[in-house]
Amino acid sequence: MRCLALNASFEPLTMVPMRRALRLVIDGKAEIIEADSHEVIRSASLSLPRPAIIRLVKFVHVPRRFRRQVTNTFLFARDDYRCQFCHRTQAELRQRECLTRDHLVPISRGGGNEWTNVVTACSSCNTRKGNRLPEECGMLPLHPPTEPHFVHLAWSVRRLTAIQQKYIRVFYGRGTLEALGGR
Ligand SMILES: [Zn+2]
């Protein structure tokens, strides 16, 4: 079981292995916010309730680019596995088509790989758009791309306990948790 680590601001940061969570608490770098009341961890010198959620004592500035790298897994999830140009979902694609990453402002024209410049596109739309800007070809994405603030948690959400889910819900809202597959 893993422990959900919150920043000092209570923003959920990441899941950490239990051993590391305990080390942070014992070193005074984190406090236990919620613990498993039935589980106690004992060592030679102390006993602690097993933490479910810890909060860092000092605010840690996490550079955005480390926290929220664009991967296709998260990009497709953000866009609901739907081509942002023809609106077809992955299931509706024909054989030999696949979902791809499209850069609204093409890299060759100075576009970057940040969340606000990439959208999910089927391979056909991606090819059709080619090297053009959305305005030049009239291909505007279904949703203007934004940076999702929760994707770094997505990989672990199905393993969150109820109490850990509560903190994500409080911080990001119920919709986010539902989008991640939690309750
Ligand atoms: Zn398409």
Side-chain angles (χ1 to χ4, degrees):
M1 161 149 165
R2 288 175 162 240
C3 177
L4 175 64
L6 309 178
N7 212 337
S9 61
F10 284 91
E11 177 183 11
L13 282 180
T14 187
M15 305 293 286
V16 293
M18 191 55 62
R19 180 181 289 272
R20 175 155 165 70
L22 289 168
R23 178 44 58 193
L24 288 166
V25 171
I26 290 166
D27 290 348
K29 291 177 177 161
E31 59 177 359
I32 297 176
I33 298 291
E34 299 274 358
D36 223 321
S37 51
H38 304 297
E39 297 269 356
V40 176
I41 292 171
R42 290 190 178 81
S43 73
S45 54
L46 81 171
S47 70
L48 279 174
R50 191 168 78 173
I53 299 172
I54 58 169
R55 173 181 170 242
L56 300 179
V57 173
K58 281 213 275 197
F59 182 81
V60 177
H61 178 72
V62 185
R64 295 193 141 209
R65 64 197 170 91
F66 291 122
R67 207 160 79 182
R68 291 149 191 172
Q69 299 228 1
V70 180
T71 66
N72 281 353
T73 305
F74 289 150
L75 175 66
F76 300 164
R78 183 198 68 181
D79 294 340
D80 223 6
Y81 302 92
R82 186 179 292 278
C83 173
Q84 292 297 292
F85 300 117
C86 69
H87 306 177
R88 285 182 301 161
T89 64
Q90 191 162 36
E92 294 167 316
L93 299 183
R94 289 187 295 272
Q95 259 188 338
R96 296 173 195 272
E97 285 182 323
C98 58
L99 293 181
T100 65
R101 177 187 309 199
D102 180 68
H103 296 83
L104 291 180
V105 178
I107 291 178
S108 61
R109 297 177 66 174
N113 202 35
E114 59 274 357
W115 281 107
T116 50
N117 190 47
V118 292
V119 295
T120 303
C122 73
S123 43
S124 300
C125 287
N126 200 334
T127 304
R128 179 148 26 97
K129 179 169 171 291
N131 211 24
R132 297 175 292 176
L133 300 174
E135 310 83 72
E136 291 172 353
C137 52
M139 293 173 74
L140 298 174
L142 183 60
H143 302 291
T146 56
E147 178 178 323
H149 50 227
F150 55 84
V151 288
H152 56 299
L153 291 168
W155 61 272
S156 63
V157 73
R158 286 175 202 282
R159 280 175 279 150
L160 293 177
T161 65
I163 195 76
Q164 291 169 344
Q165 289 190 9
K166 188 184 89 176
Y167 276 78
I168 290 177
R169 185 164 62 235
V170 166
F171 202 92
Y172 292 133
R174 179 177 297 276
T176 295
L177 197 57
E178 283 168 358
L180 290 171
R183 269 166 292 129

Coordinates of all heavy atoms in Angstrom, one line a residue, residues 4-53:
L4 N -0.5 8.7 0.1 CA -0.7 9.9 -0.7 C 0.0 11.1 0.0 O -0.3 11.4 1.2 CB -2.2 10.3 -0.9 CG -2.6 11.6 -1.6 CD1 -2.1 11.5 -3.0 CD2 -4.1 11.8 -1.5
A5 N 0.9 11.7 -0.7 CA 1.6 12.9 -0.2 C 1.1 14.2 -0.7 O 0.9 14.4 -1.9 CB 3.1 12.8 -0.6
L6 N 0.8 15.0 0.3 CA 0.3 16.4 -0.1 C 1.4 17.4 0.1 O 2.2 17.3 1.0 CB -0.9 16.8 0.8 CG -2.1 15.8 1.0 CD1 -3.1 16.4 2.0 CD2 -2.7 15.5 -0.3
N7 N 1.3 18.4 -0.7 CA 2.2 19.5 -0.5 C 1.8 20.3 0.8 O 0.7 20.0 1.3 CB 2.2 20.5 -1.7 CG 3.5 21.2 -1.9 OD1 4.3 21.3 -1.0 ND2 3.8 21.6 -3.1
A8 N 2.6 21.2 1.3 CA 2.2 22.0 2.4 C 0.9 22.7 2.2 O 0.1 23.0 3.1 CB 3.3 22.9 2.8
S9 N 0.6 23.0 0.9 CA -0.6 23.7 0.5 C -1.8 22.7 0.4 O -2.9 23.2 0.0 CB -0.4 24.3 -0.9 OG -0.1 23.3 -1.8
F10 N -1.6 21.5 0.7 CA -2.6 20.4 0.7 C -2.9 20.0 -0.8 O -3.7 19.2 -1.0 CB -3.9 20.8 1.3 CG -3.9 20.8 2.8 CD1 -3.5 21.9 3.5 CD2 -4.2 19.6 3.5 CE1 -3.4 21.9 4.9 CE2 -4.1 19.6 4.9 CZ -3.8 20.7 5.6
E11 N -2.1 20.5 -1.7 CA -2.3 19.9 -3.1 C -1.7 18.5 -3.1 O -0.6 18.3 -2.8 CB -1.5 20.8 -4.1 CG -1.6 20.3 -5.5 CD -0.8 21.1 -6.5 OE1 0.0 21.9 -6.1 OE2 -0.9 20.8 -7.7
P12 N -2.5 17.6 -3.6 CA -2.0 16.2 -3.8 C -0.8 16.2 -4.7 O -0.9 16.8 -5.8 CB -3.2 15.4 -4.4 CG -4.4 16.2 -3.9 CD -4.0 17.6 -3.9
L13 N 0.3 15.6 -4.3 CA 1.5 15.6 -5.1 C 1.7 14.3 -5.8 O 1.8 14.2 -7.0 CB 2.7 15.9 -4.3 CG 3.0 17.3 -3.9 CD1 4.2 17.4 -3.1 CD2 3.1 18.2 -5.1
T14 N 1.8 13.2 -5.0 CA 2.1 12.0 -5.6 C 1.9 10.9 -4.6 O 1.6 11.1 -3.5 CB 3.6 11.9 -6.1 OG1 3.9 10.7 -6.8 CG2 4.5 12.0 -4.9
M15 N 1.9 9.6 -5.1 CA 1.9 8.5 -4.2 C 3.3 8.1 -3.8 O 4.2 8.1 -4.7 CB 1.2 7.3 -4.8 CG -0.2 7.6 -5.3 SD -1.4 8.0 -4.1 CE -1.7 6.4 -3.4
V16 N 3.6 7.9 -2.6 CA 4.9 7.4 -2.2 C 4.8 6.1 -1.5 O 3.8 5.8 -0.8 CB 5.6 8.5 -1.2 CG1 5.9 9.8 -2.0 CG2 4.8 8.7 0.0
P17 N 5.9 5.3 -1.6 CA 5.9 4.0 -0.9 C 5.8 4.2 0.6 O 6.3 5.3 1.1 CB 7.2 3.4 -1.3 CG 7.6 4.1 -2.5 CD 7.1 5.5 -2.4
M18 N 5.3 3.3 1.3 CA 5.1 3.5 2.8 C 6.4 3.7 3.5 O 6.5 4.6 4.4 CB 4.4 2.2 3.3 CG 3.9 2.3 4.7 SD 2.8 3.7 4.9 CE 1.4 3.3 3.8
R19 N 7.4 3.0 3.1 CA 8.7 3.2 3.8 C 9.2 4.6 3.7 O 9.7 5.2 4.7 CB 9.7 2.2 3.1 CG 11.1 2.2 3.7 CD 12.0 1.3 3.0 NE 11.6 -0.1 3.2 CZ 12.1 -0.8 4.3 NH1 13.0 -0.3 5.1 NH2 11.8 -2.1 4.5
R20 N 9.0 5.2 2.5 CA 9.5 6.6 2.3 C 8.6 7.5 3.1 O 9.1 8.5 3.7 CB 9.5 6.9 0.8 CG 9.8 8.3 0.5 CD 10.4 8.5 -0.9 NE 10.3 9.9 -1.3 CZ 11.1 10.8 -0.8 NH1 12.0 10.5 0.2 NH2 11.0 12.1 -1.2
A21 N 7.3 7.3 3.1 CA 6.4 8.1 3.9 C 6.7 8.1 5.4 O 6.8 9.2 6.0 CB 4.9 7.6 3.7
L22 N 7.0 7.0 5.9 CA 7.4 6.9 7.3 C 8.7 7.6 7.6 O 8.9 8.3 8.6 CB 7.5 5.4 7.7 CG 6.2 4.6 7.8 CD1 6.5 3.1 7.9 CD2 5.4 5.1 9.0
R23 N 9.6 7.5 6.7 CA 10.9 8.2 6.8 C 10.7 9.7 6.9 O 11.3 10.4 7.7 CB 11.8 7.8 5.7 CG 13.2 8.4 5.6 CD 13.9 8.4 6.9 NE 14.1 7.1 7.5 CZ 14.5 7.0 8.8 NH1 14.8 8.0 9.6 NH2 14.6 5.7 9.3
L24 N 9.8 10.2 6.1 CA 9.6 11.6 6.0 C 8.9 12.1 7.4 O 9.3 13.1 7.9 CB 8.6 12.0 4.9 CG 9.2 11.9 3.5 CD1 8.2 12.0 2.4 CD2 10.2 13.1 3.3
V25 N 8.0 11.3 7.9 CA 7.4 11.6 9.2 C 8.4 11.5 10.3 O 8.5 12.5 11.1 CB 6.2 10.6 9.4 CG1 5.6 10.8 10.8 CG2 5.1 10.9 8.4
I26 N 9.2 10.5 10.3 CA 10.1 10.3 11.4 C 11.2 11.4 11.4 O 11.6 11.9 12.4 CB 10.8 8.9 11.3 CG1 9.8 7.8 11.7 CG2 12.0 8.8 12.2 CD1 10.2 6.4 11.3
D27 N 11.5 11.9 10.2 CA 12.5 12.9 10.1 C 11.9 14.3 10.3 O 12.6 15.3 10.2 CB 13.2 12.9 8.7 CG 14.1 11.7 8.5 OD1 14.4 11.1 9.6 OD2 14.5 11.4 7.4
G28 N 10.6 14.4 10.6 CA 10.0 15.7 10.8 C 9.7 16.5 9.6 O 9.4 17.7 9.6
K29 N 9.8 15.8 8.4 CA 9.6 16.5 7.1 C 8.1 16.5 6.7 O 7.7 17.2 5.8 CB 10.5 16.0 6.0 CG 12.0 16.3 6.3 CD 12.9 15.7 5.3 CE 14.3 16.0 5.5 NZ 15.3 15.2 4.9
A30 N 7.4 15.6 7.3 CA 6.0 15.5 7.0 C 5.2 15.2 8.2 O 5.7 14.6 9.2 CB 5.8 14.5 5.9
E31 N 3.9 15.5 8.2 CA 3.0 15.1 9.3 C 1.9 14.2 8.7 O 1.6 14.3 7.5 CB 2.4 16.4 9.9 CG 1.6 17.2 8.9 CD 0.9 18.4 9.5 OE1 1.0 18.6 10.7 OE2 0.2 19.1 8.8
I32 N 1.4 13.4 9.6 CA 0.4 12.5 9.2 C -1.0 13.2 9.3 O -1.3 13.8 10.3 CB 0.3 11.2 10.1 CG1 1.6 10.4 10.0 CG2 -0.9 10.3 9.8 CD1 1.7 9.3 10.9
I33 N -1.7 13.2 8.2 CA -3.0 13.9 8.1 C -4.1 12.8 8.4 O -5.0 13.1 9.1 CB -3.2 14.5 6.7 CG1 -2.1 15.6 6.4 CG2 -4.6 15.1 6.6 CD1 -2.3 16.8 7.3
E34 N -3.9 11.7 7.8 CA -4.9 10.6 8.0 C -4.1 9.3 8.1 O -3.2 9.1 7.4 CB -5.9 10.5 6.8 CG -6.7 11.7 6.5 CD -8.0 11.7 7.3 OE1 -8.3 10.8 8.1 OE2 -8.7 12.7 7.1
A35 N -4.6 8.5 9.0 CA -3.9 7.2 9.3 C -4.9 6.1 9.3 O -6.1 6.3 9.4 CB -3.1 7.3 10.6
D36 N -4.4 4.9 9.0 CA -5.2 3.7 9.1 C -5.3 3.4 10.6 O -4.3 3.0 11.2 CB -4.4 2.6 8.4 CG -5.3 1.8 7.5 OD1 -6.4 1.5 8.0 OD2 -4.8 1.5 6.4
S37 N -6.5 3.5 11.1 CA -6.6 3.4 12.6 C -6.3 2.0 13.1 O -5.9 1.9 14.3 CB -8.0 3.9 13.0 OG -8.9 3.1 12.3
H38 N -6.4 1.1 12.3 CA -6.2 -0.3 12.8 C -4.8 -0.8 12.6 O -4.4 -1.9 13.1 CB -7.2 -1.3 12.0 CG -8.6 -0.8 12.1 ND1 -9.3 -0.8 13.3 CD2 -9.5 -0.4 11.2 CE1 -10.5 -0.3 13.1 NE2 -10.6 -0.1 11.8
E39 N -4.0 -0.1 11.9 CA -2.7 -0.5 11.6 C -1.6 0.3 12.3 O -1.6 1.5 12.1 CB -2.4 -0.5 10.1 CG -3.3 -1.4 9.3 CD -2.7 -2.7 9.1 OE1 -1.6 -3.0 9.5 OE2 -3.4 -3.6 8.5
V40 N -0.8 -0.3 13.1 CA 0.3 0.4 13.7 C 1.6 -0.2 13.3 O 1.8 -1.4 13.2 CB 0.1 0.3 15.3 CG1 1.3 1.0 16.0 CG2 -1.2 1.0 15.7
I41 N 2.5 0.8 13.0 CA 3.8 0.3 12.6 C 4.8 0.5 13.7 O 4.9 1.6 14.3 CB 4.3 1.1 11.3 CG1 3.4 0.7 10.1 CG2 5.8 0.8 11.0 CD1 3.6 1.5 8.9
R42 N 5.5 -0.5 14.1 CA 6.4 -0.4 15.3 C 7.8 -0.6 14.9 O 8.1 -1.5 14.0 CB 6.0 -1.5 16.3 CG 4.7 -1.2 17.0 CD 4.4 -2.1 18.2 NE 3.2 -1.8 18.8 CZ 2.0 -2.2 18.4 NH1 1.9 -2.9 17.3 NH2 0.9 -1.8 19.0
S43 N 8.6 0.2 15.5 CA 10.1 -0.1 15.3 C 10.7 -0.2 16.7 O 9.9 -0.2 17.7 CB 10.7 1.0 14.5 OG 10.8 2.2 15.3
A44 N 12.0 -0.3 16.8 CA 12.6 -0.4 18.1 C 12.2 0.8 19.0 O 12.0 0.6 20.2 CB 14.1 -0.5 17.9
S45 N 12.2 1.9 18.4 CA 12.1 3.1 19.2 C 10.7 3.8 19.2 O 10.4 4.6 20.1 CB 13.1 4.1 18.8 OG 13.0 4.4 17.4
L46 N 9.8 3.5 18.3 CA 8.6 4.2 18.3 C 7.5 3.4 17.6 O 7.8 2.4 16.9 CB 8.7 5.6 17.6 CG 8.7 5.7 16.1 CD1 8.6 7.1 15.6 CD2 9.9 5.0 15.5
S47 N 6.3 3.8 17.8 CA 5.2 3.2 17.1 C 4.3 4.3 16.5 O 4.1 5.3 17.1 CB 4.3 2.2 17.9 OG 3.6 3.0 18.9
L48 N 3.9 4.0 15.2 CA 3.2 5.1 14.5 C 2.0 4.4 13.8 O 2.0 3.3 13.4 CB 4.1 5.6 13.3 CG 5.1 6.6 13.6 CD1 5.9 6.8 12.3 CD2 4.5 7.9 14.0
P49 N 0.9 5.2 13.8 CA -0.2 4.6 12.9 C 0.2 4.6 11.5 O 1.0 5.5 11.1 CB -1.3 5.7 13.2 CG -0.7 6.9 13.6 CD 0.6 6.5 14.3
R50 N -0.2 3.7 10.7 CA 0.2 3.6 9.3 C -0.4 4.8 8.6 O -1.6 4.8 8.4 CB -0.2 2.3 8.7 CG 0.5 2.1 7.4 CD 0.3 0.7 6.9 NE -1.0 0.5 6.4 CZ -1.4 -0.7 5.7 NH1 -0.5 -1.6 5.6 NH2 -2.6 -0.8 5.2
P51 N 0.4 5.7 8.0 CA -0.2 6.8 7.4 C -0.9 6.5 6.0 O -0.4 5.7 5.2 CB 1.0 7.8 7.1 CG 2.2 6.9 7.1 CD 1.9 5.7 8.0
A52 N -2.0 7.1 5.8 CA -2.7 7.0 4.5 C -2.4 8.3 3.7 O -2.3 8.2 2.5 CB -4.2 6.8 4.7
I53 N -2.3 9.4 4.4 CA -2.0 10.7 3.8 C -1.0 11.4 4.7 O -1.2 11.6 5.9 CB -3.3 11.5 3.7 CG1 -4.3 10.7 2.8 CG2 -3.0 12.9 3.1 CD1 -5.7 11.4 2.7

